[in-house]
Amino acid sequence: MRKSESVSSSSSSSSPEKDATSSSPKSSTFSKLRRKLSPKREVEEKRVLFIEPDAPECGELERVFRYFDANGDGKISADELQSCVRTMGGEITSEEAETAVESSDLDGDGLLGFDDFVKLMEANGEEEKRKDLREAFKMYEMDGLGCITPKSLKRMLSRLGESKTIEECSTMIRLFDLNGDGVLSFEEFAVMMH
């Protein structure tokens, strides 16, 4: 007997925005794929994935991998990738699917094994995290200087309901100011956020 698990999918009526921080076709493909797989979309349709009851506990990526592996051979072809993205209401061209597979194919067989798939998703996840960090940094960096100053930090904290003096903000910045210039660059901000 098998137990079933639902994997949700959906479509978005708007076309995905281009990632302003990426310029290569490879990055663009990863961004599109990640957005199309995003669990934050409204549910429009469901596809059932059957998992053997004696199968070891599997994580979210393994469930998605099994869902994409339509023929159950333990590999995802560019066609399977494209078909699944379409089933989920997204759109990815054959060329984009082939590029995604080729760029993450560790053993050169033209297919994505589970490790290849994890590499593809993790690379894209890091890209998304960096983009989110960049957006957060811009909220704190209000003076157009490309860095967070004690004054801009004080202003943002005040907007968030925290009253701090310039001296307190300077102290906070010093904790993560790796080069000692009295301000936080994006890289220093990223270190602070991790």
Side-chain angles (χ1 to χ4, degrees), residues 109-129:
D109 66 354
L111 302 168
L112 293 178
F114 181 68
D115 290 340
D116 302 332
F117 184 72
V118 169
K119 176 185 165 195
L120 175 67
M121 293 294 103
E122 286 177 350
N124 201 17
E126 287 302 314
E127 183 180 311
E128 292 295 319
K129 285 179 191 175

Side-chain angles (χ1 to χ4, degrees), residues 126 129-130 132-134 136-137 148 172-179 183-194:
E126 287 302 314
K129 285 179 191 175
R130 192 145 181 96
D132 291 345
L133 272 177
R134 181 79 56 196
F137 179 77
I148 299 172
M172 292 169 67
I173 286 175
R174 271 194 299 274
L175 293 172
F176 296 97
D177 182 13
L178 302 176
N179 64 3
V183 296
L184 289 181
S185 67
F186 175 72
E187 294 306 321
E188 292 166 331
F189 179 75
V191 168
M192 179 183 77
M193 297 306 284
H194 289 325

